[in-house]
Amino acid sequence: MQLEEFKNLVIKTRCCRRFKKIDIKSEDLIKIVQIAALSSSAKNLQPLKYIIVSQDEEIKQKIFKPLKWAAALKDWQGPIEEEKPSAYIIVLCDKNISDYCMVDAGIAMQTIMLSLTSIDLSGCILASIDKNEYKKIFDLPENIEPIFAIAIGKRGEEIKIVPKKDSIEYFRDEKNAHCVPKRSLNEVLWKIL
Ligand SMILES: Cc1cc2nc3c(=O)[nH]c(=O)nc-3n(C[C@H](O)[C@H](O)[C@H](O)COP(=O)(O)O)c2cc1C
């Protein structure tokens, strides 16, 4: 793959919050978790585990309920019924293996997000989950802690990267496209030696 092609994949891989309903096969998400499990891991401990939910409508409603969407969009309450995600991957940290899961989770989740784009799906990483509620829903033992949810579906909104002006806060433009300001190379590249 050429670098330009990979750049386009990364550009396309945005957090999507308004989906179109589709049926997502568990098999596709199993393959994606298998890819995520190939990602780098501190000390190669591999403390992450995953729950895939794509078919059970009742569990999907329970996962959705405590999620907090797009804190920066004050006038938007989150996806309406028709815009809800069609599936979820819940990321778990096995505390018996390691307490240090967040960096591993970041790497694995970006791998998942890129994989989703590659099969024309979109996702949204969500930290604002209800850990205790999820522990109950999935009957998880003490050592298994839910740390993130990835909401998954068919993209139902236009999402654009825009140059950062005054603020890094994402917003919706006059055409209701979701705009994500990114800092320029000048701002992020500290030094070239
Ligand atoms: C670790 C992490 C946690 C996040 N948690 C939430 C969340 O709880 N709710 C939400 O709507 N978006 C969440 N997001 C999505 C970010 O808001 C999003 O990545 C950011 O606005 C930039 O958009 P982009 O991913 O399209 O570049 C999270 C993203 C990351 C990486």
Side-chain angles (χ1 to χ4, degrees):
M1 184 191 277
Q2 299 291 308
L3 197 52
E4 205 53 31
E5 211 181 321
F6 183 69
K7 182 183 172 189
N8 287 333
L9 178 69
V10 173
I11 288 173
K12 218 170 145 196
T13 303
R14 304 269 57 84
C15 273
C16 171
R17 300 182 180 85
R18 291 174 288 181
F19 299 95
K20 283 187 215 153
K21 292 265 182 226
I22 47 155
D23 183 38
I24 296 178
K25 292 186 190 66
S26 304
E27 291 70 38
D28 284 338
L29 299 185
I30 293 168
K31 281 185 202 151
I32 286 178
V33 165
Q34 208 169 13
I35 296 169
L38 302 173
S39 304
S40 296
S41 168
K43 295 186 186 163
N44 204 26
L45 284 172
Q46 304 163 67
L48 302 179
K49 312 236 182 284
Y50 304 89
I51 296 172
I52 291 169
V53 184
S54 68
Q55 299 302 313
D56 190 320
E57 293 302 325
E58 206 181 316
I59 300 278
K60 281 196 263 181
Q61 291 294 347
K62 286 185 181 170
I63 293 171
F64 179 82
K65 216 172 156 205
L67 297 175
K68 292 193 176 59
W69 297 84
L73 302 178
K74 307 275 185 263
D75 298 332
W76 186 64
Q77 312 311 319
I80 55 173
E81 195 54 41
E82 309 82 77
E83 296 169 336
K84 282 184 181 175
S86 299
Y88 297 90
I89 294 175
I90 310 296
V91 183
L92 310 167
C93 174
D94 185 342
K95 302 267 178 186
N96 283 352
I97 300 178
S98 176
D99 268 340
Y100 187 67
C101 280
M102 290 319 216
V103 177
D104 277 28
I107 295 168
M109 290 195 295
Q110 180 67 350
T111 305
I112 291 171
M113 294 288 285
L114 292 167
S115 302
L116 290 170
T117 308
S118 79
I119 57 166
D120 210 23
L121 292 176
S122 289
C124 184
I125 296 171
L126 292 128
S128 57
I129 59 171
D130 184 335
K131 292 182 180 182
N132 291 331
E133 190 54 30
Y134 284 12
K135 277 196 130 180
K136 276 191 231 151
I137 298 171
F138 299 111
D139 195 20
L140 298 175
E142 196 56 39
N143 59 303
I144 302 292
E145 188 183 270
I147 49 175
F148 292 102
I150 304 175
I152 298 165
K154 186 100 188 148
R155 187 179 290 196
E157 64 179 350
E158 193 195 342
I159 310 177
K160 292 194 290 197
I161 286 185
V162 295
K164 189 211 92 178
K165 288 182 187 150
D166 307 325
S167 164
I168 43 77
E169 279 203 353
Y170 47 86
F171 59 92
R172 290 195 181 147
D173 68 11
E174 64 290 344
K175 289 187 177 153
N176 211 10
H178 183 84
C179 301
V180 189
K182 293 291 181 192
R183 297 182 197 276
S184 68
L185 181 63
N186 264 351
E187 194 178 343
V188 299
L189 187 56
W190 194 264
K191 211 176 249 192
I192 309 167
L193 302 169

mmCIF file with all atom_site columns, all heavy atoms in Angstrom, residues 149-168:
data_model
loop_
_atom_site.group_PDB
_atom_site.id
_atom_site.type_symbol
_atom_site.label_atom_id
_atom_site.label_alt_id
_atom_site.label_comp_id
_atom_site.label_asym_id
_atom_site.label_entity_id
_atom_site.label_seq_id
_atom_site.pdbx_PDB_ins_code
_atom_site.Cartn_x
_atom_site.Cartn_y
_atom_site.Cartn_z
_atom_site.occupancy
_atom_site.B_iso_or_equiv
_atom_site.pdbx_formal_charge
_atom_site.auth_seq_id
_atom_site.auth_comp_id
_atom_site.auth_asym_id
_atom_site.auth_atom_id
_atom_site.pdbx_PDB_model_num
ATOM 1   N N   . ALA A 1 149 ? -16.486 1.338  24.695 1.00 0.00 ? 149 ALA A N   1
ATOM 2   C CA  . ALA A 1 149 ? -17.400 0.716  23.728 1.00 0.00 ? 149 ALA A CA  1
ATOM 3   C C   . ALA A 1 149 ? -17.062 1.309  22.366 1.00 0.00 ? 149 ALA A C   1
ATOM 4   O O   . ALA A 1 149 ? -16.720 2.492  22.260 1.00 0.00 ? 149 ALA A O   1
ATOM 5   C CB  . ALA A 1 149 ? -18.845 1.021  24.090 1.00 0.00 ? 149 ALA A CB  1
ATOM 6   N N   . ILE A 1 150 ? -17.134 0.492  21.350 1.00 0.00 ? 150 ILE A N   1
ATOM 7   C CA  . ILE A 1 150 ? -17.050 1.016  19.980 1.00 0.00 ? 150 ILE A CA  1
ATOM 8   C C   . ILE A 1 150 ? -18.408 0.767  19.339 1.00 0.00 ? 150 ILE A C   1
ATOM 9   O O   . ILE A 1 150 ? -18.843 -0.384 19.206 1.00 0.00 ? 150 ILE A O   1
ATOM 10  C CB  . ILE A 1 150 ? -15.926 0.339  19.171 1.00 0.00 ? 150 ILE A CB  1
ATOM 11  C CG1 . ILE A 1 150 ? -14.584 0.501  19.889 1.00 0.00 ? 150 ILE A CG1 1
ATOM 12  C CG2 . ILE A 1 150 ? -15.852 0.942  17.756 1.00 0.00 ? 150 ILE A CG2 1
ATOM 13  C CD1 . ILE A 1 150 ? -13.423 -0.233 19.237 1.00 0.00 ? 150 ILE A CD1 1
ATOM 14  N N   . ALA A 1 151 ? -19.094 1.874  19.030 1.00 0.00 ? 151 ALA A N   1
ATOM 15  C CA  . ALA A 1 151 ? -20.391 1.782  18.355 1.00 0.00 ? 151 ALA A CA  1
ATOM 16  C C   . ALA A 1 151 ? -20.105 1.622  16.866 1.00 0.00 ? 151 ALA A C   1
ATOM 17  O O   . ALA A 1 151 ? -19.218 2.293  16.322 1.00 0.00 ? 151 ALA A O   1
ATOM 18  C CB  . ALA A 1 151 ? -21.198 3.043  18.612 1.00 0.00 ? 151 ALA A CB  1
ATOM 19  N N   . ILE A 1 152 ? -20.853 0.735  16.217 1.00 0.00 ? 152 ILE A N   1
ATOM 20  C CA  . ILE A 1 152 ? -20.535 0.378  14.825 1.00 0.00 ? 152 ILE A CA  1
ATOM 21  C C   . ILE A 1 152 ? -21.783 0.424  13.947 1.00 0.00 ? 152 ILE A C   1
ATOM 22  O O   . ILE A 1 152 ? -22.872 0.033  14.385 1.00 0.00 ? 152 ILE A O   1
ATOM 23  C CB  . ILE A 1 152 ? -19.923 -1.046 14.795 1.00 0.00 ? 152 ILE A CB  1
ATOM 24  C CG1 . ILE A 1 152 ? -18.607 -1.061 15.593 1.00 0.00 ? 152 ILE A CG1 1
ATOM 25  C CG2 . ILE A 1 152 ? -19.684 -1.527 13.364 1.00 0.00 ? 152 ILE A CG2 1
ATOM 26  C CD1 . ILE A 1 152 ? -18.096 -2.442 15.930 1.00 0.00 ? 152 ILE A CD1 1
ATOM 27  N N   . GLY A 1 153 ? -21.600 0.886  12.731 1.00 0.00 ? 153 GLY A N   1
ATOM 28  C CA  . GLY A 1 153 ? -22.735 0.889  11.798 1.00 0.00 ? 153 GLY A CA  1
ATOM 29  C C   . GLY A 1 153 ? -22.326 1.382  10.436 1.00 0.00 ? 153 GLY A C   1
ATOM 30  O O   . GLY A 1 153 ? -21.135 1.556  10.139 1.00 0.00 ? 153 GLY A O   1
ATOM 31  N N   . LYS A 1 154 ? -23.329 1.594  9.602  1.00 0.00 ? 154 LYS A N   1
ATOM 32  C CA  . LYS A 1 154 ? -23.112 2.169  8.275  1.00 0.00 ? 154 LYS A CA  1
ATOM 33  C C   . LYS A 1 154 ? -23.158 3.682  8.451  1.00 0.00 ? 154 LYS A C   1
ATOM 34  O O   . LYS A 1 154 ? -24.085 4.205  9.094  1.00 0.00 ? 154 LYS A O   1
ATOM 35  C CB  . LYS A 1 154 ? -24.264 1.706  7.370  1.00 0.00 ? 154 LYS A CB  1
ATOM 36  C CG  . LYS A 1 154 ? -24.127 2.092  5.955  1.00 0.00 ? 154 LYS A CG  1
ATOM 37  C CD  . LYS A 1 154 ? -23.597 0.911  5.160  1.00 0.00 ? 154 LYS A CD  1
ATOM 38  C CE  . LYS A 1 154 ? -23.264 1.331  3.743  1.00 0.00 ? 154 LYS A CE  1
ATOM 39  N NZ  . LYS A 1 154 ? -22.148 0.567  3.200  1.00 0.00 ? 154 LYS A NZ  1
ATOM 40  N N   . ARG A 1 155 ? -22.202 4.379  7.908  1.00 0.00 ? 155 ARG A N   1
ATOM 41  C CA  . ARG A 1 155 ? -22.164 5.833  8.105  1.00 0.00 ? 155 ARG A CA  1
ATOM 42  C C   . ARG A 1 155 ? -23.415 6.515  7.557  1.00 0.00 ? 155 ARG A C   1
ATOM 43  O O   . ARG A 1 155 ? -23.808 6.288  6.416  1.00 0.00 ? 155 ARG A O   1
ATOM 44  C CB  . ARG A 1 155 ? -20.925 6.423  7.437  1.00 0.00 ? 155 ARG A CB  1
ATOM 45  C CG  . ARG A 1 155 ? -20.764 7.910  7.763  1.00 0.00 ? 155 ARG A CG  1
ATOM 46  C CD  . ARG A 1 155 ? -19.537 8.502  7.140  1.00 0.00 ? 155 ARG A CD  1
ATOM 47  N NE  . ARG A 1 155 ? -18.313 7.995  7.762  1.00 0.00 ? 155 ARG A NE  1
ATOM 48  C CZ  . ARG A 1 155 ? -17.128 8.584  7.619  1.00 0.00 ? 155 ARG A CZ  1
ATOM 49  N NH1 . ARG A 1 155 ? -17.002 9.669  6.893  1.00 0.00 ? 155 ARG A NH1 1
ATOM 50  N NH2 . ARG A 1 155 ? -16.058 8.072  8.200  1.00 0.00 ? 155 ARG A NH2 1
ATOM 51  N N   . GLY A 1 156 ? -24.047 7.343  8.404  1.00 0.00 ? 156 GLY A N   1
ATOM 52  C CA  . GLY A 1 156 ? -25.255 8.044  7.995  1.00 0.00 ? 156 GLY A CA  1
ATOM 53  C C   . GLY A 1 156 ? -25.083 9.550  8.053  1.00 0.00 ? 156 GLY A C   1
ATOM 54  O O   . GLY A 1 156 ? -26.061 10.294 8.072  1.00 0.00 ? 156 GLY A O   1
ATOM 55  N N   . GLU A 1 157 ? -23.833 10.008 8.122  1.00 0.00 ? 157 GLU A N   1
ATOM 56  C CA  . GLU A 1 157 ? -23.573 11.453 8.161  1.00 0.00 ? 157 GLU A CA  1
ATOM 57  C C   . GLU A 1 157 ? -22.303 11.755 7.384  1.00 0.00 ? 157 GLU A C   1
ATOM 58  O O   . GLU A 1 157 ? -21.407 10.912 7.266  1.00 0.00 ? 157 GLU A O   1
ATOM 59  C CB  . GLU A 1 157 ? -23.433 11.953 9.607  1.00 0.00 ? 157 GLU A CB  1
ATOM 60  C CG  . GLU A 1 157 ? -22.244 11.373 10.362 1.00 0.00 ? 157 GLU A CG  1
ATOM 61  C CD  . GLU A 1 157 ? -22.105 11.907 11.782 1.00 0.00 ? 157 GLU A CD  1
ATOM 62  O OE1 . GLU A 1 157 ? -22.796 12.869 12.155 1.00 0.00 ? 157 GLU A OE1 1
ATOM 63  O OE2 . GLU A 1 157 ? -21.279 11.353 12.532 1.00 0.00 ? 157 GLU A OE2 1
ATOM 64  N N   . GLU A 1 158 ? -22.245 12.983 6.867  1.00 0.00 ? 158 GLU A N   1
ATOM 65  C CA  . GLU A 1 158 ? -20.997 13.417 6.244  1.00 0.00 ? 158 GLU A CA  1
ATOM 66  C C   . GLU A 1 158 ? -20.061 13.899 7.346  1.00 0.00 ? 158 GLU A C   1
ATOM 67  O O   . GLU A 1 158 ? -20.490 14.622 8.257  1.00 0.00 ? 158 GLU A O   1
ATOM 68  C CB  . GLU A 1 158 ? -21.265 14.546 5.241  1.00 0.00 ? 158 GLU A CB  1
ATOM 69  C CG  . GLU A 1 158 ? -20.060 14.803 4.346  1.00 0.00 ? 158 GLU A CG  1
ATOM 70  C CD  . GLU A 1 158 ? -20.129 16.115 3.582  1.00 0.00 ? 158 GLU A CD  1
ATOM 71  O OE1 . GLU A 1 158 ? -21.232 16.681 3.462  1.00 0.00 ? 158 GLU A OE1 1
ATOM 72  O OE2 . GLU A 1 158 ? -19.067 16.575 3.135  1.00 0.00 ? 158 GLU A OE2 1
ATOM 73  N N   . ILE A 1 159 ? -18.814 13.467 7.282  1.00 0.00 ? 159 ILE A N   1
ATOM 74  C CA  . ILE A 1 159 ? -17.834 13.908 8.289  1.00 0.00 ? 159 ILE A CA  1
ATOM 75  C C   . ILE A 1 159 ? -16.626 14.468 7.542  1.00 0.00 ? 159 ILE A C   1
ATOM 76  O O   . ILE A 1 159 ? -16.101 13.822 6.633  1.00 0.00 ? 159 ILE A O   1
ATOM 77  C CB  . ILE A 1 159 ? -17.403 12.749 9.209  1.00 0.00 ? 159 ILE A CB  1
ATOM 78  C CG1 . ILE A 1 159 ? -18.622 12.005 9.771  1.00 0.00 ? 159 ILE A CG1 1
ATOM 79  C CG2 . ILE A 1 159 ? -16.528 13.285 10.352 1.00 0.00 ? 159 ILE A CG2 1
ATOM 80  C CD1 . ILE A 1 159 ? -18.290 10.797 10.622 1.00 0.00 ? 159 ILE A CD1 1
ATOM 81  N N   . LYS A 1 160 ? -16.234 15.680 7.938  1.00 0.00 ? 160 LYS A N   1
ATOM 82  C CA  . LYS A 1 160 ? -15.133 16.348 7.219  1.00 0.00 ? 160 LYS A CA  1
ATOM 83  C C   . LYS A 1 160 ? -14.047 16.766 8.197  1.00 0.00 ? 160 LYS A C   1
ATOM 84  O O   . LYS A 1 160 ? -14.361 17.311 9.267  1.00 0.00 ? 160 LYS A O   1
ATOM 85  C CB  . LYS A 1 160 ? -15.645 17.647 6.566  1.00 0.00 ? 160 LYS A CB  1
ATOM 86  C CG  . LYS A 1 160 ? -16.612 17.435 5.434  1.00 0.00 ? 160 LYS A CG  1
ATOM 87  C CD  . LYS A 1 160 ? -16.793 18.716 4.638  1.00 0.00 ? 160 LYS A CD  1
ATOM 88  C CE  . LYS A 1 160 ? -17.542 19.788 5.393  1.00 0.00 ? 160 LYS A CE  1
ATOM 89  N NZ  . LYS A 1 160 ? -18.065 20.866 4.571  1.00 0.00 ? 160 LYS A NZ  1
ATOM 90  N N   . ILE A 1 161 ? -12.800 16.550 7.820  1.00 0.00 ? 161 ILE A N   1
ATOM 91  C CA  . ILE A 1 161 ? -11.705 17.162 8.573  1.00 0.00 ? 161 ILE A CA  1
ATOM 92  C C   . ILE A 1 161 ? -11.565 18.590 8.067  1.00 0.00 ? 161 ILE A C   1
ATOM 93  O O   . ILE A 1 161 ? -11.586 18.828 6.847  1.00 0.00 ? 161 ILE A O   1
ATOM 94  C CB  . ILE A 1 161 ? -10.398 16.369 8.382  1.00 0.00 ? 161 ILE A CB  1
ATOM 95  C CG1 . ILE A 1 161 ? -10.488 15.064 9.174  1.00 0.00 ? 161 ILE A CG1 1
ATOM 96  C CG2 . ILE A 1 161 ? -9.194  17.187 8.810  1.00 0.00 ? 161 ILE A CG2 1
ATOM 97  C CD1 . ILE A 1 161 ? -9.234  14.243 9.187  1.00 0.00 ? 161 ILE A CD1 1
ATOM 98  N N   . VAL A 1 162 ? -11.477 19.546 8.977  1.00 0.00 ? 162 VAL A N   1
ATOM 99  C CA  . VAL A 1 162 ? -11.303 20.947 8.582  1.00 0.00 ? 162 VAL A CA  1
ATOM 100 C C   . VAL A 1 162 ? -10.068 21.506 9.299  1.00 0.00 ? 162 VAL A C   1
ATOM 101 O O   . VAL A 1 162 ? -9.703  21.003 10.366 1.00 0.00 ? 162 VAL A O   1
ATOM 102 C CB  . VAL A 1 162 ? -12.567 21.798 8.926  1.00 0.00 ? 162 VAL A CB  1
ATOM 103 C CG1 . VAL A 1 162 ? -13.768 21.343 8.125  1.00 0.00 ? 162 VAL A CG1 1
ATOM 104 C CG2 . VAL A 1 162 ? -12.876 21.758 10.426 1.00 0.00 ? 162 VAL A CG2 1
ATOM 105 N N   . PRO A 1 163 ? -9.417  22.502 8.724  1.00 0.00 ? 163 PRO A N   1
ATOM 106 C CA  . PRO A 1 163 ? -8.268  23.090 9.420  1.00 0.00 ? 163 PRO A CA  1
ATOM 107 C C   . PRO A 1 163 ? -8.725  23.753 10.719 1.00 0.00 ? 163 PRO A C   1
ATOM 108 O O   . PRO A 1 163 ? -9.793  24.358 10.754 1.00 0.00 ? 163 PRO A O   1
ATOM 109 C CB  . PRO A 1 163 ? -7.745  24.145 8.443  1.00 0.00 ? 163 PRO A CB  1
ATOM 110 C CG  . PRO A 1 163 ? -8.489  23.957 7.169  1.00 0.00 ? 163 PRO A CG  1
ATOM 111 C CD  . PRO A 1 163 ? -9.720  23.179 7.451  1.00 0.00 ? 163 PRO A CD  1
ATOM 112 N N   . LYS A 1 164 ? -7.909  23.597 11.761 1.00 0.00 ? 164 LYS A N   1
ATOM 113 C CA  . LYS A 1 164 ? -8.260  24.231 13.043 1.00 0.00 ? 164 LYS A CA  1
ATOM 114 C C   . LYS A 1 164 ? -8.103  25.742 12.923 1.00 0.00 ? 164 LYS A C   1
ATOM 115 O O   . LYS A 1 164 ? -7.073  26.219 12.459 1.00 0.00 ? 164 LYS A O   1
ATOM 116 C CB  . LYS A 1 164 ? -7.349  23.692 14.143 1.00 0.00 ? 164 LYS A CB  1
ATOM 117 C CG  . LYS A 1 164 ? -7.757  24.106 15.526 1.00 0.00 ? 164 LYS A CG  1
ATOM 118 C CD  . LYS A 1 164 ? -6.576  24.244 16.458 1.00 0.00 ? 164 LYS A CD  1
ATOM 119 C CE  . LYS A 1 164 ? -6.078  25.674 16.452 1.00 0.00 ? 164 LYS A CE  1
ATOM 120 N NZ  . LYS A 1 164 ? -4.978  25.969 17.344 1.00 0.00 ? 164 LYS A NZ  1
ATOM 121 N N   . LYS A 1 165 ? -9.146  26.472 13.329 1.00 0.00 ? 165 LYS A N   1
ATOM 122 C CA  . LYS A 1 165 ? -9.008  27.937 13.375 1.00 0.00 ? 165 LYS A CA  1
ATOM 123 C C   . LYS A 1 165 ? -8.841  28.337 14.843 1.00 0.00 ? 165 LYS A C   1
ATOM 124 O O   . LYS A 1 165 ? -7.779  28.183 15.405 1.00 0.00 ? 165 LYS A O   1
ATOM 125 C CB  . LYS A 1 165 ? -10.203 28.611 12.712 1.00 0.00 ? 165 LYS A CB  1
ATOM 126 C CG  . LYS A 1 165 ? -10.150 28.430 11.189 1.00 0.00 ? 165 LYS A CG  1
ATOM 127 C CD  . LYS A 1 165 ? -11.307 29.143 10.509 1.00 0.00 ? 165 LYS A CD  1
ATOM 128 C CE  . LYS A 1 165 ? -11.327 28.802 9.017  1.00 0.00 ? 165 LYS A CE  1
ATOM 129 N NZ  . LYS A 1 165 ? -12.672 28.834 8.478  1.00 0.00 ? 165 LYS A NZ  1
ATOM 130 N N   . ASP A 1 166 ? -9.943  28.817 15.490 1.00 0.00 ? 166 ASP A N   1
ATOM 131 C CA  . ASP A 1 166 ? -9.818  29.247 16.889 1.00 0.00 ? 166 ASP A CA  1
ATOM 132 C C   . ASP A 1 166 ? -9.926  28.084 17.864 1.00 0.00 ? 166 ASP A C   1
ATOM 133 O O   . ASP A 1 166 ? -9.378  28.133 18.961 1.00 0.00 ? 166 ASP A O   1
ATOM 134 C CB  . ASP A 1 166 ? -10.934 30.262 17.227 1.00 0.00 ? 166 ASP A CB  1
ATOM 135 C CG  . ASP A 1 166 ? -10.942 31.399 16.239 1.00 0.00 ? 166 ASP A CG  1
ATOM 136 O OD1 . ASP A 1 166 ? -9.834  31.765 15.798 1.00 0.00 ? 166 ASP A OD1 1
ATOM 137 O OD2 . ASP A 1 166 ? -12.037 31.889 15.895 1.00 0.00 ? 166 ASP A OD2 1
ATOM 138 N N   . SER A 1 167 ? -10.661 27.054 17.479 1.00 0.00 ? 167 SER A N   1
ATOM 139 C CA  . SER A 1 167 ? -11.017 26.026 18.461 1.00 0.00 ? 167 SER A CA  1
ATOM 140 C C   . SER A 1 167 ? -10.841 24.629 17.878 1.00 0.00 ? 167 SER A C   1
ATOM 141 O O   . SER A 1 167 ? -10.956 24.428 16.665 1.00 0.00 ? 167 SER A O   1
ATOM 142 C CB  . SER A 1 167 ? -12.493 26.246 18.846 1.00 0.00 ? 167 SER A CB  1
ATOM 143 O OG  . SER A 1 167 ? -12.998 25.104 19.496 1.00 0.00 ? 167 SER A OG  1
ATOM 144 N N   . ILE A 1 168 ? -10.592 23.670 18.768 1.00 0.00 ? 168 ILE A N   1
ATOM 145 C CA  . ILE A 1 168 ? -10.507 22.268 18.326 1.00 0.00 ? 168 ILE A CA  1
ATOM 146 C C   . ILE A 1 168 ? -11.872 21.578 18.469 1.00 0.00 ? 168 ILE A C   1
ATOM 147 O O   . ILE A 1 168 ? -12.000 20.401 18.175 1.00 0.00 ? 168 ILE A O   1
ATOM 148 C CB  . ILE A 1 168 ? -9.424  21.464 19.108 1.00 0.00 ? 168 ILE A CB  1
ATOM 149 C CG1 . ILE A 1 168 ? -9.443  21.764 20.610 1.00 0.00 ? 168 ILE A CG1 1
ATOM 150 C CG2 . ILE A 1 168 ? -8.044  21.723 18.553 1.00 0.00 ? 168 ILE A CG2 1
ATOM 151 C CD1 . ILE A 1 168 ? -10.492 21.149 21.400 1.00 0.00 ? 168 ILE A CD1 1
#
